[in-house]
Amino acid sequence: MELLQYLGETVIMTILDVLPIISIIFGFQIFILRESIPHIKNVIIGFAYVLVGLAFFLVGLEEALFPIGEVMAQQLTDTAFMYGHLERVAETVHWSDYKWVYIFAAAIGFSTTIAEPALIAVAIKANQVSGGAISVWGLRIAVAIGVAIGIALGSYRIVTGTPLHYYIIVGYIIVIFQTMVTPRLIIALAYDSGGVTTSTVTVPLVTALGLGLASTIPGRSALIDGFGLIAFASLFPIITVMAYAQIGQWVTERKKKEDEDDDS
Amino acid sequence: MLRQFNQFILSFRDSVKDILPIVIVIAFFQLVVLQKPFPNLEQILIGSLLVVIGLNFFIRGLNMALFPLGESMANAFARKGSLFWLIAFAFCLGFGTTVAEPALIAVADEAAEVAAKGGVIIDSVVSRSSYAFQLRITVALSVGIAIVVGVIRILKGWPIQYLIIGGYIGVVVMTMFAPEEIIGIAYDSGGVTTSTVTVPLVTALGVGLASSIKNRNPMVDGFGLIAFASLTPMIFVMGFGIIR
């Protein structure tokens, strides 16, 4: 019963969140474009599906996955888990003490990205526009690997306390270099994939991980060092998506070469 | 009727695949690494079911409403041929969807807390909420401008990489001058601006615009709006940190 009430409240909250978008769209449609929307009935039903779907999705995450995931992030970063087998907690932390944290960071980054609705949407669109050349799952997995690397590296950064901008600047240099050699068709999509990775599913769990790490490691401040994981999660997918296109191109070229060799 | 049911089961199976990785990761870490039993298993099962149903509905609505709407509006603007109204729409879409974004509100509140603790602003409820509000407006403005620049790029057919690399240089330069405590927040603010409803709409708008203009390739020119929307907030938020 409580769950139903919560669901109802979340549906209303989602409607309020989407209200600005709806009013801008319909405002422009009615007053500026002065055209009726094609298949208006379908669009309204579709909007209702989106709102109800998002509300169910959010309530489900908050009921099932977020509480346990957040507790897990705290437990894994807790010194009691890490040094439980030792008599005394070490004075200074060594980055390798946190190996389970990096594995958890990568795993949770990968799996939450696979479930990210905004990424599913972009992957479906890219598949349609490319005429099937870009596969929905291929793109999603490429992005998810990028987020996994990003979050794991971001956790390492919080543990070691190195400045955030060093990593970001090196990442930018890699992106610029890849842009020069990658197939032209993928460039815009790759840049986009950085922005879509981090929304409903990823942000809460990753924030819990960052804050947990920063608050348990001596010398780190949760308020200053806890930030930055999202930035990593938005940068590395750009690199992996371009790599995905490069590998795809390489495989096709090799195949073509082999076919030519067979012919001769 | 039977066919519809079959279709429903099929799409349901797809949504289960989408959330399966999270379930496996959480189960593995809980049972194998932390070696603890699951607390209230029933709640977790009901929650997972809701996630699957929700995702299924969302994707259905995506193809019925968000994609067609974004594309039909792009076509209508192209037919109307008024640059002014297209740019006004682009700005409103970017600004309007960002200013009320819940993830941004959360980050802005945290940023205000950092600023108060760091002595940048007076630690009072009023000054903190005004700082958070100004930060939100800054980010929303930056997203509005980003979508406008992105739309102009599609119209002109400029290659995206020059604009993005220019943006990167902007980020690096701003990082050198921005106060230490704003950098992490600024970098993160790029990631939180684009919500689940905005992304499909904006993507369909870009692709629709690129397909309705001659000599534009929807793949090369249509994508990229989201990229601008995640880059400009970093520059603007660091600028905000410098001016404050």
Side-chain angles (χ1 to χ4, degrees), chain A residues 17 21 24 29 32 35 43 46 49 53 60-61 63-64 68 72 75 104 111 121 125 134 140 172 191-192 195 198 200 228 230-231, chain B residues 18 26 29-30 34 36 38 43-44 47 54 57 61 65 67 71 73 79-80 85 92 97 102 168 188 191 194 196 201 219 224 226-227:
Chain A
D17 287 345
I21 310 180
I24 289 166
Q29 193 78 38
I32 311 298
E35 284 181 32
V43 169
Y49 277 172
L61 287 176
E63 282 290 308
I68 191 163
M72 207 171 265
Q75 285 173 339
F104 178 71
S111 58
K125 195 85 230 169
I134 293 163
R140 285 168 68 191
Y172 281 173
Y191 290 160
D192 265 2
T198 43
T200 350
I230 309 288
Chain B
D18 294 333
I26 289 196
F29 274 86
Q30 188 75 358
L34 293 167
K36 285 186 181 141
F38 270 101
Q43 195 190 353
I44 292 175
F57 269 99
F67 282 162
E71 273 173 32
M73 288 198 83
R79 271 199 307 276
K80 190 175 169 71
W85 283 118
C92 288
T97 57
Y168 282 173
D188 272 2
T194 40
T196 312
L201 265 176
M219 199 66 217
I226 309 289

Short mmCIF file of all heavy atoms in Angstrom, two decimals, chain A residues 17 21 24 29 32 35 43 46 49 53 60-61 63-64 68 72 75 104 111 121 125 134 140 172 191-192 195 198 200 228 230-231, chain B residues 18 26 29-30 34 36 38 43-44 47 54 57 61 65 67 71 73 79-80 85 92 97 102 168 188 191 194 196 201 219 224 226-227:
data_model
loop_
_atom_site.label_atom_id
_atom_site.label_comp_id
_atom_site.label_asym_id
_atom_site.label_seq_id
_atom_site.Cartn_x
_atom_site.Cartn_y
_atom_site.Cartn_z
N ASP A 17 8.71 17.49 -13.16
CA ASP A 17 10.04 17.64 -13.75
C ASP A 17 9.96 17.88 -15.26
O ASP A 17 10.78 18.59 -15.83
CB ASP A 17 10.88 16.38 -13.51
CG ASP A 17 11.34 16.28 -12.07
OD1 ASP A 17 11.25 17.30 -11.37
OD2 ASP A 17 11.78 15.20 -11.66
N ILE A 21 9.62 21.12 -20.13
CA ILE A 21 9.86 20.65 -21.50
C ILE A 21 8.55 20.64 -22.28
O ILE A 21 8.46 21.13 -23.41
CB ILE A 21 10.44 19.22 -21.51
CG1 ILE A 21 11.62 19.12 -20.56
CG2 ILE A 21 10.82 18.80 -22.91
CD1 ILE A 21 12.26 17.76 -20.51
N ILE A 24 7.36 24.16 -23.16
CA ILE A 24 8.15 24.78 -24.24
C ILE A 24 7.75 24.19 -25.59
O ILE A 24 7.49 24.92 -26.56
CB ILE A 24 9.66 24.56 -23.98
CG1 ILE A 24 10.12 25.41 -22.79
CG2 ILE A 24 10.48 24.93 -25.22
CD1 ILE A 24 11.46 25.02 -22.24
N GLN A 29 4.90 24.91 -30.55
CA GLN A 29 4.09 24.24 -31.57
C GLN A 29 2.82 25.04 -31.86
O GLN A 29 2.45 25.22 -33.01
CB GLN A 29 3.74 22.83 -31.06
CG GLN A 29 3.17 21.91 -32.11
CD GLN A 29 4.24 21.35 -33.03
OE1 GLN A 29 5.32 21.03 -32.61
NE2 GLN A 29 3.93 21.24 -34.30
N ILE A 32 4.09 29.47 -32.37
CA ILE A 32 5.09 29.86 -33.37
C ILE A 32 4.93 29.04 -34.65
O ILE A 32 4.80 29.58 -35.75
CB ILE A 32 6.53 29.68 -32.82
CG1 ILE A 32 6.67 30.32 -31.45
CG2 ILE A 32 7.54 30.24 -33.82
CD1 ILE A 32 6.45 31.81 -31.40
N GLU A 35 1.16 24.64 -36.15
CA GLU A 35 0.82 23.42 -36.87
C GLU A 35 0.31 22.43 -35.84
O GLU A 35 0.71 22.47 -34.69
CB GLU A 35 2.07 22.83 -37.54
CG GLU A 35 2.50 23.58 -38.77
CD GLU A 35 3.73 22.94 -39.39
OE1 GLU A 35 3.88 21.71 -39.28
OE2 GLU A 35 4.53 23.68 -39.97
N VAL A 43 1.27 10.55 -29.70
CA VAL A 43 2.28 11.31 -28.96
C VAL A 43 1.87 11.46 -27.50
O VAL A 43 2.68 11.29 -26.59
CB VAL A 43 2.49 12.69 -29.62
CG1 VAL A 43 3.33 13.60 -28.73
CG2 VAL A 43 3.18 12.52 -30.97
N GLY A 46 2.23 8.17 -25.83
CA GLY A 46 3.67 7.91 -25.68
C GLY A 46 4.26 8.70 -24.53
O GLY A 46 5.06 8.17 -23.75
N TYR A 49 3.37 7.04 -21.39
CA TYR A 49 4.25 5.88 -21.19
C TYR A 49 5.60 6.30 -20.61
O TYR A 49 6.12 5.68 -19.69
CB TYR A 49 4.48 5.15 -22.52
CG TYR A 49 3.40 4.19 -22.94
CD1 TYR A 49 3.42 3.61 -24.20
CD2 TYR A 49 2.36 3.86 -22.09
CE1 TYR A 49 2.44 2.73 -24.61
CE2 TYR A 49 1.38 2.98 -22.48
CZ TYR A 49 1.42 2.41 -23.74
OH TYR A 49 0.46 1.54 -24.13
N GLY A 53 6.66 5.17 -17.08
CA GLY A 53 7.84 4.31 -17.13
C GLY A 53 8.97 4.84 -16.27
O GLY A 53 9.55 4.11 -15.47
N GLY A 60 11.55 1.73 -8.48
CA GLY A 60 12.19 0.42 -8.41
C GLY A 60 13.64 0.53 -7.99
O GLY A 60 14.12 -0.22 -7.12
N LEU A 61 14.36 1.49 -8.57
CA LEU A 61 15.76 1.67 -8.21
C LEU A 61 15.90 2.04 -6.75
O LEU A 61 16.75 1.51 -6.03
CB LEU A 61 16.39 2.78 -9.06
CG LEU A 61 16.68 2.49 -10.52
CD1 LEU A 61 17.20 3.74 -11.20
CD2 LEU A 61 17.70 1.38 -10.66
N GLU A 63 13.80 1.44 -4.35
CA GLU A 63 13.38 0.36 -3.46
C GLU A 63 14.44 -0.74 -3.40
O GLU A 63 14.73 -1.27 -2.34
CB GLU A 63 12.08 -0.27 -3.99
CG GLU A 63 10.85 0.53 -3.71
CD GLU A 63 10.51 0.50 -2.24
OE1 GLU A 63 10.43 -0.59 -1.66
OE2 GLU A 63 10.34 1.60 -1.66
N ALA A 64 14.99 -1.08 -4.56
CA ALA A 64 15.77 -2.30 -4.63
C ALA A 64 17.27 -2.05 -4.67
O ALA A 64 18.02 -2.63 -3.88
CB ALA A 64 15.35 -3.10 -5.86
N ILE A 68 20.93 -0.90 -1.23
CA ILE A 68 21.95 -1.93 -1.03
C ILE A 68 23.26 -1.52 -1.70
O ILE A 68 24.35 -1.75 -1.16
CB ILE A 68 21.42 -3.30 -1.53
CG1 ILE A 68 22.35 -4.41 -1.10
CG2 ILE A 68 21.23 -3.34 -3.02
CD1 ILE A 68 21.73 -5.76 -1.19
N MET A 72 26.74 -0.94 0.25
CA MET A 72 27.87 -1.71 -0.26
C MET A 72 29.09 -0.80 -0.49
O MET A 72 30.21 -1.14 -0.12
CB MET A 72 27.46 -2.33 -1.58
CG MET A 72 28.16 -3.58 -1.93
SD MET A 72 27.34 -4.26 -3.38
CE MET A 72 26.23 -5.38 -2.61
N GLN A 75 30.54 -0.02 2.83
CA GLN A 75 31.23 -1.14 3.47
C GLN A 75 32.56 -1.44 2.81
O GLN A 75 33.54 -1.73 3.47
CB GLN A 75 30.33 -2.38 3.43
CG GLN A 75 29.21 -2.31 4.44
CD GLN A 75 28.23 -3.44 4.29
OE1 GLN A 75 28.13 -4.06 3.23
NE2 GLN A 75 27.49 -3.72 5.34
N PHE A 104 34.86 -3.05 -7.75
CA PHE A 104 33.46 -2.67 -7.56
C PHE A 104 33.13 -1.44 -8.41
O PHE A 104 32.08 -1.39 -9.07
CB PHE A 104 33.20 -2.37 -6.08
CG PHE A 104 31.79 -1.91 -5.79
CD1 PHE A 104 30.73 -2.81 -5.86
CD2 PHE A 104 31.52 -0.59 -5.45
CE1 PHE A 104 29.44 -2.39 -5.60
CE2 PHE A 104 30.23 -0.17 -5.19
CZ PHE A 104 29.19 -1.08 -5.26
N SER A 111 27.69 -1.85 -15.21
CA SER A 111 26.33 -2.38 -15.16
C SER A 111 25.27 -1.28 -15.10
O SER A 111 24.21 -1.41 -15.71
CB SER A 111 26.18 -3.34 -13.98
OG SER A 111 26.49 -2.69 -12.78
N ALA A 121 18.27 5.14 -25.54
CA ALA A 121 17.62 5.99 -26.55
C ALA A 121 18.60 6.41 -27.63
O ALA A 121 18.31 6.28 -28.83
CB ALA A 121 17.02 7.23 -25.86
N LYS A 125 18.62 5.39 -31.69
CA LYS A 125 18.64 6.41 -32.74
C LYS A 125 19.86 6.22 -33.65
O LYS A 125 19.74 6.28 -34.88
CB LYS A 125 18.69 7.79 -32.07
CG LYS A 125 18.36 8.92 -33.00
CD LYS A 125 16.88 9.15 -33.08
CE LYS A 125 16.40 9.23 -34.48
NZ LYS A 125 14.96 9.20 -34.63
N ILE A 134 25.82 0.70 -36.88
CA ILE A 134 26.18 0.76 -35.47
C ILE A 134 25.16 -0.08 -34.71
O ILE A 134 23.98 0.22 -34.76
CB ILE A 134 26.18 2.20 -34.96
CG1 ILE A 134 27.31 2.98 -35.64
CG2 ILE A 134 26.33 2.26 -33.46
CD1 ILE A 134 27.16 4.46 -35.54
N ARG A 140 26.33 0.39 -26.68
CA ARG A 140 26.10 0.43 -25.24
C ARG A 140 27.25 -0.20 -24.48
O ARG A 140 27.66 0.30 -23.42
CB ARG A 140 24.78 -0.27 -24.90
CG ARG A 140 23.57 0.57 -25.25
CD ARG A 140 22.30 -0.22 -25.19
NE ARG A 140 21.96 -0.61 -23.84
CZ ARG A 140 21.00 -1.49 -23.54
NH1 ARG A 140 20.32 -2.07 -24.52
NH2 ARG A 140 20.73 -1.80 -22.30
N TYR A 172 41.77 14.53 -22.54
CA TYR A 172 41.48 15.41 -23.68
C TYR A 172 42.49 15.20 -24.80
O TYR A 172 42.13 15.17 -25.98
CB TYR A 172 41.54 16.89 -23.25
CG TYR A 172 40.33 17.39 -22.52
CD1 TYR A 172 40.30 18.65 -21.95
CD2 TYR A 172 39.19 16.59 -22.41
CE1 TYR A 172 39.19 19.12 -21.28
CE2 TYR A 172 38.08 17.06 -21.75
CZ TYR A 172 38.08 18.32 -21.18
OH TYR A 172 36.98 18.78 -20.53
N TYR A 191 31.33 11.95 -29.14
CA TYR A 191 31.29 13.09 -28.22
C TYR A 191 29.98 13.11 -27.43
O TYR A 191 29.95 13.42 -26.25
CB TYR A 191 31.41 14.40 -29.00
CG TYR A 191 32.77 14.67 -29.61
CD1 TYR A 191 32.92 15.56 -30.65
CD2 TYR A 191 33.92 14.05 -29.11
CE1 TYR A 191 34.16 15.84 -31.22
CE2 TYR A 191 35.15 14.31 -29.67
CZ TYR A 191 35.27 15.20 -30.72
OH TYR A 191 36.49 15.47 -31.26
N ASP A 192 28.89 12.75 -28.10
CA ASP A 192 27.59 12.72 -27.42
C ASP A 192 27.55 11.67 -26.31
O ASP A 192 26.93 11.86 -25.28
CB ASP A 192 26.47 12.39 -28.42
CG ASP A 192 25.82 13.65 -28.95
OD1 ASP A 192 26.26 14.74 -28.57
OD2 ASP A 192 24.86 13.53 -29.73
N GLY A 195 28.07 12.52 -22.70
CA GLY A 195 27.06 13.24 -21.94
C GLY A 195 25.87 12.41 -21.50
O GLY A 195 25.16 12.77 -20.57
N THR A 198 25.69 9.60 -17.78
CA THR A 198 25.51 9.84 -16.36
C THR A 198 24.17 10.49 -16.12
O THR A 198 24.04 11.69 -16.22
CB THR A 198 26.62 10.77 -15.88
OG1 THR A 198 26.77 11.80 -16.86
CG2 THR A 198 27.91 10.03 -15.74
N THR A 200 20.12 8.95 -14.53
CA THR A 200 19.31 8.37 -13.45
C THR A 200 19.97 7.27 -12.65
O THR A 200 19.88 7.26 -11.43
CB THR A 200 18.03 7.80 -14.07
OG1 THR A 200 17.96 8.21 -15.42
CG2 THR A 200 16.84 8.26 -13.34
N GLY A 228 34.14 14.68 -8.99
CA GLY A 228 35.08 14.33 -10.03
C GLY A 228 34.84 12.98 -10.68
O GLY A 228 35.26 12.77 -11.81
N ILE A 230 31.99 11.79 -11.76
CA ILE A 230 31.08 11.98 -12.89
C ILE A 230 31.87 12.48 -14.11
O ILE A 230 31.60 12.08 -15.25
CB ILE A 230 29.98 13.00 -12.55
CG1 ILE A 230 29.30 12.65 -11.23
CG2 ILE A 230 28.95 13.11 -13.66
CD1 ILE A 230 28.42 11.48 -11.25
N ALA A 231 32.84 13.36 -13.85
CA ALA A 231 33.65 13.90 -14.94
C ALA A 231 34.41 12.77 -15.64
O ALA A 231 34.48 12.73 -16.87
CB ALA A 231 34.62 14.95 -14.40
N ASP B 18 18.55 -5.71 -19.76
CA ASP B 18 19.15 -4.42 -19.47
C ASP B 18 19.58 -4.29 -18.02
O ASP B 18 20.57 -3.64 -17.72
CB ASP B 18 18.17 -3.28 -19.80
CG ASP B 18 17.89 -3.21 -21.29
OD1 ASP B 18 18.76 -3.62 -22.07
OD2 ASP B 18 16.80 -2.74 -21.66
N ILE B 26 25.62 -6.69 -7.91
CA ILE B 26 25.26 -6.51 -6.50
C ILE B 26 25.23 -7.85 -5.77
O ILE B 26 25.74 -7.97 -4.66
CB ILE B 26 23.93 -5.72 -6.41
CG1 ILE B 26 24.23 -4.28 -6.82
CG2 ILE B 26 23.36 -5.79 -5.01
CD1 ILE B 26 23.22 -3.27 -6.46
N PHE B 29 28.92 -9.05 -5.11
CA PHE B 29 29.63 -8.34 -4.05
C PHE B 29 29.02 -8.62 -2.69
O PHE B 29 29.73 -8.74 -1.70
CB PHE B 29 29.69 -6.84 -4.34
CG PHE B 29 30.85 -6.49 -5.20
CD1 PHE B 29 30.76 -6.56 -6.58
CD2 PHE B 29 32.07 -6.15 -4.64
CE1 PHE B 29 31.84 -6.26 -7.38
CE2 PHE B 29 33.17 -5.86 -5.44
CZ PHE B 29 33.05 -5.92 -6.81
N GLN B 30 27.69 -8.75 -2.64
CA GLN B 30 27.04 -9.01 -1.36
C GLN B 30 27.39 -10.40 -0.84
O GLN B 30 27.76 -10.57 0.31
CB GLN B 30 25.52 -8.86 -1.52
CG GLN B 30 24.74 -8.91 -0.24
CD GLN B 30 24.86 -7.63 0.56
OE1 GLN B 30 25.55 -6.69 0.18
NE2 GLN B 30 24.20 -7.60 1.69
N LEU B 34 31.57 -9.40 0.29
CA LEU B 34 31.24 -8.96 1.66
C LEU B 34 30.75 -10.12 2.52
O LEU B 34 30.75 -10.03 3.74
CB LEU B 34 30.17 -7.86 1.61
CG LEU B 34 30.62 -6.53 0.99
CD1 LEU B 34 29.43 -5.63 0.72
CD2 LEU B 34 31.60 -5.80 1.91
N LYS B 36 27.69 -11.42 3.04
CA LYS B 36 26.54 -11.09 3.89
C LYS B 36 25.28 -11.55 3.18
O LYS B 36 25.24 -11.55 1.94
CB LYS B 36 26.48 -9.59 4.14
CG LYS B 36 27.52 -9.15 5.12
CD LYS B 36 27.40 -7.71 5.49
CE LYS B 36 28.51 -7.38 6.46
NZ LYS B 36 29.10 -6.08 6.26
N PHE B 38 21.30 -11.27 1.90
CA PHE B 38 20.51 -10.14 1.41
C PHE B 38 19.50 -9.70 2.46
O PHE B 38 18.72 -10.52 2.94
CB PHE B 38 19.75 -10.54 0.14
CG PHE B 38 20.54 -10.27 -1.10
CD1 PHE B 38 21.21 -11.29 -1.75
CD2 PHE B 38 20.64 -8.98 -1.60
CE1 PHE B 38 21.94 -11.04 -2.87
CE2 PHE B 38 21.39 -8.72 -2.73
CZ PHE B 38 22.04 -9.76 -3.37
N GLN B 43 11.61 -7.06 -0.96
CA GLN B 43 11.60 -5.67 -1.42
C GLN B 43 12.48 -5.52 -2.66
O GLN B 43 12.13 -4.82 -3.61
CB GLN B 43 12.13 -4.80 -0.29
CG GLN B 43 11.85 -3.33 -0.49
CD GLN B 43 12.61 -2.49 0.54
OE1 GLN B 43 13.24 -3.02 1.46
NE2 GLN B 43 12.56 -1.20 0.37
N ILE B 44 13.61 -6.21 -2.66
CA ILE B 44 14.53 -6.12 -3.79
C ILE B 44 13.90 -6.70 -5.05
O ILE B 44 14.01 -6.13 -6.13
CB ILE B 44 15.86 -6.83 -3.44
CG1 ILE B 44 16.57 -6.04 -2.36
CG2 ILE B 44 16.74 -6.96 -4.67
CD1 ILE B 44 17.82 -6.66 -1.85
N GLY B 47 11.20 -4.33 -6.31
CA GLY B 47 11.85 -3.16 -6.89
C GLY B 47 12.40 -3.46 -8.28
O GLY B 47 12.22 -2.69 -9.22
N GLY B 54 9.19 -0.33 -15.79
CA GLY B 54 9.39 1.08 -16.09
C GLY B 54 10.22 1.29 -17.34
O GLY B 54 9.87 2.08 -18.21
N PHE B 57 8.17 0.49 -20.47
CA PHE B 57 7.24 1.57 -20.83
C PHE B 57 7.98 2.75 -21.42
O PHE B 57 7.55 3.36 -22.39
CB PHE B 57 6.46 2.04 -19.58
CG PHE B 57 5.17 1.31 -19.39
CD1 PHE B 57 5.06 0.26 -18.51
CD2 PHE B 57 4.04 1.70 -20.11
CE1 PHE B 57 3.87 -0.41 -18.34
CE2 PHE B 57 2.85 1.03 -19.95
CZ PHE B 57 2.76 -0.02 -19.06
N GLY B 61 7.38 4.50 -25.03
CA GLY B 61 7.01 5.91 -25.17
C GLY B 61 8.01 6.70 -26.00
O GLY B 61 7.65 7.62 -26.72
N ALA B 65 6.51 8.87 -28.78
CA ALA B 65 6.38 10.32 -28.55
C ALA B 65 7.67 11.10 -28.75
O ALA B 65 7.71 12.02 -29.56
CB ALA B 65 5.84 10.56 -27.14
N PHE B 67 10.85 10.58 -29.94
CA PHE B 67 11.54 10.62 -31.23
C PHE B 67 10.70 11.31 -32.32
O PHE B 67 11.19 12.24 -32.97
CB PHE B 67 11.95 9.21 -31.67
CG PHE B 67 13.18 8.69 -30.98
CD1 PHE B 67 13.48 7.34 -30.97
CD2 PHE B 67 14.06 9.55 -30.35
CE1 PHE B 67 14.61 6.85 -30.34
CE2 PHE B 67 15.20 9.08 -29.72
CZ PHE B 67 15.47 7.72 -29.71
N GLU B 71 11.62 15.01 -34.18
CA GLU B 71 11.86 15.07 -35.61
C GLU B 71 10.82 15.93 -36.32
O GLU B 71 11.16 16.71 -37.22
CB GLU B 71 11.91 13.66 -36.21
CG GLU B 71 13.32 13.12 -36.12
CD GLU B 71 13.44 11.67 -36.52
OE1 GLU B 71 12.67 11.22 -37.40
OE2 GLU B 71 14.31 11.00 -35.95
N MET B 73 9.21 18.42 -35.12
CA MET B 73 9.45 19.84 -34.84
C MET B 73 10.63 20.35 -35.67
O MET B 73 10.59 21.48 -36.18
CB MET B 73 9.72 20.06 -33.35
CG MET B 73 8.45 19.90 -32.55
SD MET B 73 8.56 20.62 -30.92
CE MET B 73 8.20 22.33 -31.26
N ARG B 79 10.82 23.94 -42.47
CA ARG B 79 9.84 24.42 -43.45
C ARG B 79 9.54 25.89 -43.23
O ARG B 79 9.42 26.67 -44.16
CB ARG B 79 8.54 23.63 -43.32
CG ARG B 79 8.48 22.38 -44.16
CD ARG B 79 7.04 21.92 -44.35
NE ARG B 79 6.31 21.78 -43.09
CZ ARG B 79 6.37 20.69 -42.32
NH1 ARG B 79 7.11 19.67 -42.68
NH2 ARG B 79 5.68 20.62 -41.21
N LYS B 80 9.41 26.27 -41.96
CA LYS B 80 9.08 27.65 -41.63
C LYS B 80 10.21 28.59 -42.06
O LYS B 80 9.97 29.70 -42.51
CB LYS B 80 8.83 27.78 -40.12
CG LYS B 80 8.24 29.10 -39.69
CD LYS B 80 7.93 29.06 -38.19
CE LYS B 80 7.61 30.43 -37.65
NZ LYS B 80 6.31 30.94 -38.11
N TRP B 85 13.31 32.04 -34.76
CA TRP B 85 12.48 31.20 -33.90
C TRP B 85 13.14 29.86 -33.61
O TRP B 85 12.99 29.31 -32.53
CB TRP B 85 11.09 31.00 -34.50
CG TRP B 85 10.23 32.21 -34.31
CD1 TRP B 85 9.69 32.99 -35.27
CD2 TRP B 85 9.85 32.79 -33.05
NE1 TRP B 85 9.00 34.03 -34.71
CE2 TRP B 85 9.08 33.94 -33.34
CE3 TRP B 85 10.09 32.49 -31.71
CZ2 TRP B 85 8.54 34.75 -32.35
CZ3 TRP B 85 9.56 33.30 -30.73
CH2 TRP B 85 8.79 34.42 -31.04
N CYS B 92 15.48 28.00 -25.42
CA CYS B 92 14.46 27.67 -24.41
C CYS B 92 14.55 26.20 -24.01
O CYS B 92 14.44 25.85 -22.84
CB CYS B 92 13.06 27.95 -24.93
SG CYS B 92 12.70 29.69 -25.03
N THR B 97 14.95 23.02 -19.77
CA THR B 97 15.05 21.66 -19.25
C THR B 97 16.14 21.53 -18.21
O THR B 97 16.13 20.62 -17.42
CB THR B 97 15.33 20.65 -20.37
OG1 THR B 97 16.53 21.04 -21.04
CG2 THR B 97 14.20 20.60 -21.37
N PRO B 102 16.52 17.88 -11.47
CA PRO B 102 16.76 17.49 -10.07
C PRO B 102 18.23 17.19 -9.75
O PRO B 102 18.72 17.58 -8.70
CB PRO B 102 15.91 16.22 -9.90
CG PRO B 102 14.91 16.25 -10.99
CD PRO B 102 15.52 17.01 -12.11
N TYR B 168 37.57 22.35 -25.25
CA TYR B 168 38.55 21.72 -24.36
C TYR B 168 39.62 22.73 -23.94
O TYR B 168 40.01 22.80 -22.77
CB TYR B 168 39.25 20.55 -25.06
CG TYR B 168 38.43 19.28 -25.13
CD1 TYR B 168 38.88 18.18 -25.86
CD2 TYR B 168 37.23 19.16 -24.44
CE1 TYR B 168 38.15 17.02 -25.92
CE2 TYR B 168 36.49 18.00 -24.52
CZ TYR B 168 36.95 16.93 -25.26
OH TYR B 168 36.24 15.77 -25.33
N ASP B 188 32.05 18.07 -12.80
CA ASP B 188 30.89 17.19 -12.64
C ASP B 188 29.62 17.80 -13.23
O ASP B 188 28.76 17.07 -13.70
CB ASP B 188 30.65 16.90 -11.15
CG ASP B 188 31.44 15.70 -10.69
OD1 ASP B 188 32.19 15.14 -11.52
OD2 ASP B 188 31.30 15.30 -9.53
N GLY B 191 28.25 16.64 -16.50
CA GLY B 191 27.62 15.33 -16.61
C GLY B 191 26.18 15.28 -16.15
O GLY B 191 25.45 14.38 -16.54
N THR B 194 22.11 16.68 -18.59
CA THR B 194 21.25 16.12 -19.61
C THR B 194 20.40 14.98 -19.05
O THR B 194 20.91 13.92 -18.74
CB THR B 194 22.10 15.59 -20.77
OG1 THR B 194 23.24 14.95 -20.20
CG2 THR B 194 22.53 16.72 -21.65
N THR B 196 17.03 12.26 -18.73
CA THR B 196 16.56 11.13 -19.53
C THR B 196 15.50 11.52 -20.55
O THR B 196 15.37 10.89 -21.59
CB THR B 196 15.99 10.07 -18.56
OG1 THR B 196 16.95 9.89 -17.51
CG2 THR B 196 15.76 8.76 -19.23
N LEU B 201 14.87 13.76 -26.92
CA LEU B 201 14.26 14.88 -27.65
C LEU B 201 15.31 15.66 -28.43
O LEU B 201 15.14 15.95 -29.62
CB LEU B 201 13.59 15.83 -26.66
CG LEU B 201 12.12 15.65 -26.40
CD1 LEU B 201 11.67 16.61 -25.32
CD2 LEU B 201 11.31 15.88 -27.67
N MET B 219 24.19 11.45 -39.63
CA MET B 219 25.15 10.78 -38.72
C MET B 219 26.28 11.75 -38.35
O MET B 219 26.63 11.88 -37.18
CB MET B 219 25.70 9.55 -39.46
CG MET B 219 26.34 8.50 -38.60
SD MET B 219 25.18 7.70 -37.50
CE MET B 219 26.23 7.51 -36.08
N GLY B 224 25.73 15.38 -31.66
CA GLY B 224 26.67 16.39 -31.16
C GLY B 224 26.06 17.45 -30.26
O GLY B 224 26.78 18.15 -29.55
N ILE B 226 24.25 17.00 -27.54
CA ILE B 226 24.48 16.61 -26.15
C ILE B 226 25.93 16.91 -25.75
O ILE B 226 26.20 17.32 -24.61
CB ILE B 226 24.21 15.10 -25.96
CG1 ILE B 226 22.84 14.71 -26.51
CG2 ILE B 226 24.35 14.68 -24.51
CD1 ILE B 226 21.71 15.20 -25.72
N ALA B 227 26.85 16.71 -26.70
CA ALA B 227 28.26 16.95 -26.41
C ALA B 227 28.49 18.41 -26.01
O ALA B 227 29.18 18.69 -25.03
CB ALA B 227 29.12 16.59 -27.62
#
